[in-house]
């Protein structure tokens, strides 16, 4: 598909999840809740499972077609990379689409600050505080600059939500994320670089679906994008857009990135923090879809957030690394 500002084709959302407890005390409200120690805790229920990556990552095969043709992710995952001694089932799936180098079977290296898995195409490190490094080396993947018909390497983390927030029945969806681009090195000449084909970017996508079997729009889906770094743009944009994604046959609505991160530049290689209520922006995306003639028979109560993915999509020859920490998605009833 044609690359547009802040988006490229998204990966395939895989099956993962963890059961979270909604019952018991203390009760939640918009002002927060009191713990047994008397300290105020964040409001709502955490939607993400294992936000500090303590249970590791299940590793996909190298091509989505392998998953589709061989019975799904559980039957086709090549390994589980673990960052500790536990053997609990991982919540997170790591997608390594269109790569030559399978991270499955890689021997971990334990350092003073964390555990690393690496091969010629990628490196994943979990640090002791729960920070995750995703590093992708596409100079070993591409033999020549990508053309418009070629697939491109991905390094994504993703999960399906066990507890799926209903867009019409929650009052807030509090999103927190800290992101730092560690490096992004263009390995093409200026003459080879074509910004309509080539970039390195790190989008975050939520997957939303109409789950009401009585609705004419039942099973109609939407990717909601939370854009961040894109090599081509020094500063973040303040406009939204709607785009059809050929790879997943689903519309994408991209939230204006400056609304999320502020007027910052990830090119400064510093930590940047997003902390906001995403619910009004997601509902704004549904309204934008209706303007496009989609979701015309969908009420907000018909829509649930099914899962998410985040990481590198690199349709150009770049070697790039990022760190992510303090990731949270909290739904307030």
């Amino acid at each position: 598909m044609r690359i547009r500002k802040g988006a490229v084709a998204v990966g395939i959302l895989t099956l993962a999840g963890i059961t979270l407890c909604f019952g018991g005390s203390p009760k939640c409200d918009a002002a927060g809740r009191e713990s047994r120690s008397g300290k105020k805790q964040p409001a709502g229920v955490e939607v993400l499972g294992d936000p500090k990556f303590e249970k590791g990552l299940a590793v996909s095969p190298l091509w989505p077609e392998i998953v589709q043709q061989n019975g799904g992710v559980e039957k086709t995952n090549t390994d589980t990379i673990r960052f500790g001694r536990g053997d609990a089932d991982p919540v997170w799936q790591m997608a390594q689409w269109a790569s030559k180098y399978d991270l499955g079977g890689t021997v971990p290296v334990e350092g003073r600050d964390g555990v690393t898995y690496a091969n010629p195409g990628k490196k994943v490190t979990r640090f002791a505080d729960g920070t995750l490094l995703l590093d992708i080396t596409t100079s070993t993947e591409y033999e020549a600059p990508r053309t418009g018909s070629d697939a491109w390497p991905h390094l994504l983390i993703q999960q399906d939500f066990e507890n799926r927030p209903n867009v019409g029945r929650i009052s807030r969806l509090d999103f927190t994320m800290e992101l730092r681009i560690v490096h992004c090195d263009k390995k093409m000449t200026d003459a080879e670089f074509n910004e309509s084909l080539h970039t390195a970017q790190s989008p975050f996508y939520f997957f939303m679906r109409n789950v009401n079997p009585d609705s004419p729009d039942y099973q109609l889906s939407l990717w909601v994008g939370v854009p961040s770094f894109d090599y081509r743009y020094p500063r973040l944009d303040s406009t939204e857009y709607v785009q059809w994604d050929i790879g997943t046959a689903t519309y994408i609505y991209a939230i204006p990135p400056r609304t999320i991160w502020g007027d910052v530049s990830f090119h400064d290689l510093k930590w940047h923090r997003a902390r906001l209520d995403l619910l009004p922006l997601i509902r704004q995306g549904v309204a934008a879809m209706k303007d496009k003639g989609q979701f015309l028979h969908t009420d907000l109560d018909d829509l649930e957030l099914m899962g998410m993915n985040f990481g590198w999509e690199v349709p150009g020859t770049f070697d790039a690394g990022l760190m992510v920490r303090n990731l949270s998605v909290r739904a307030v009833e």
Side-chain angles (χ1 to χ4, degrees):
M1 63 173 287
R2 183 167 63 93
I3 302 173
R4 292 193 53 181
K5 181 178 288 189
V8 292
V10 294
I12 291 179
L13 202 67
T14 57
L15 301 174
I18 186 170
T19 301
L20 302 177
C21 180
F22 282 83
S25 62
K27 295 181 179 179
C28 298
D29 59 29
R33 68 181 186 221
E34 296 298 320
S35 69
R36 290 181 177 87
S37 65
K39 295 181 180 179
K40 184 172 286 189
Q41 302 297 313
V45 174
E46 181 60 59
V47 176
L48 285 176
D50 191 23
K52 290 186 177 294
F53 313 104
E54 294 173 304
K55 299 179 181 180
L57 308 168
V59 181
S60 79
L62 300 180
W63 294 95
E65 292 80 6
I66 297 174
V67 178
Q68 297 164 351
Q69 297 169 10
N70 293 278
V73 293
E74 292 185 0
K75 294 183 179 180
T76 57
N77 284 334
T78 65
D79 201 356
T80 297
I81 59 176
R82 301 192 179 278
F83 303 114
R85 294 185 175 86
D87 58 357
D89 292 337
V91 175
W92 291 97
Q93 178 88 15
M94 190 194 77
Q96 49 178 354
W97 310 133
S99 174
K100 297 177 183 177
Y101 307 102
D102 186 355
L103 207 59
T106 304
V107 177
V109 176
E110 294 191 31
R112 183 175 60 181
D113 298 325
V115 179
T116 296
Y117 293 78
N119 65 25
K122 57 188 72 73
K123 179 171 71 174
V124 176
T125 300
R126 181 191 181 272
F127 296 92
D129 65 353
T131 298
L132 191 71
L133 168 73
L134 299 175
D135 200 292
I136 188 166
T137 306
T138 69
S139 60
T140 63
E141 303 275 9
Y142 291 110
E143 297 180 1
R146 174 183 168 269
T147 65
S149 60
D150 298 332
W152 58 81
H154 296 59
L155 184 58
L156 305 173
I157 56 170
Q158 49 194 41
Q159 64 173 261
D160 288 353
F161 298 147
E162 179 70 20
N163 294 292
R164 300 168 178 169
N166 184 288
V167 174
R169 296 174 190 166
I170 58 175
S171 62
R172 296 179 59 87
L173 188 71
D174 292 328
F175 176 76
T176 302
M177 179 180 182
E178 294 180 41
L179 176 63
R180 177 190 167 212
I181 302 302
V182 180
H183 68 104
C184 186
D185 307 312
K186 179 164 67 74
K187 298 298 184 177
M188 298 175 286
T189 67
D190 290 343
E192 292 172 328
F193 177 63
N194 179 346
E195 74 167 26
S196 68
L197 293 174
H198 304 138
T199 194
Q201 61 177 7
S202 57
F204 187 116
Y205 286 104
F206 289 102
F207 187 62
M208 185 165 62
R209 177 179 291 159
N210 183 318
V211 296
N212 180 2
D214 297 324
S215 169
D217 290 338
Y218 179 54
Q219 300 285 32
L220 192 63
S221 301
L222 175 67
W223 294 99
V224 178
V226 180
S228 55
F229 173 76
D230 188 319
Y231 172 83
R232 298 167 295 177
Y233 307 110
R235 305 206 77 84
L236 299 183
D237 199 359
S238 58
T239 58
E240 66 180 14
Y241 70 83
V242 176
Q243 175 179 313
W244 176 254
D245 178 54
I246 296 174
T248 59
T250 308
Y251 272 101
I252 296 172
Y253 169 76
I255 297 169
R258 193 176 296 184
T259 304
I260 301 161
W261 299 98
D263 184 11
V264 303
S265 174
F266 285 98
H267 290 259
D268 64 10
L269 308 185
K270 297 178 180 179
W271 282 105
H272 295 283
R273 184 187 191 192
R275 187 177 185 182
L276 74 163
D277 177 12
L278 282 180
L279 186 60
L281 299 171
I282 290 174
R283 291 179 174 178
Q284 182 176 309
V286 177
M289 295 306 302
K290 291 180 183 290
D291 291 340
K292 291 284 187 179
Q294 299 292 312
F295 290 95
L296 295 180
H297 306 287
T298 296
D299 296 327
L300 292 177
D301 286 3
D302 298 333
L303 294 168
E304 291 183 355
L305 292 182
M306 311 296 289
M308 54 69 61
N309 68 26
F310 164 74
W312 283 116
E313 299 201 28
V314 189
T317 311
F318 293 86
D319 296 345
L322 63 80
M323 288 181 173
V324 60
R325 68 187 182 190
N326 294 331
L327 186 59
S328 177
V329 180
R330 301 192 71 88
V332 180
E333 293 289 337

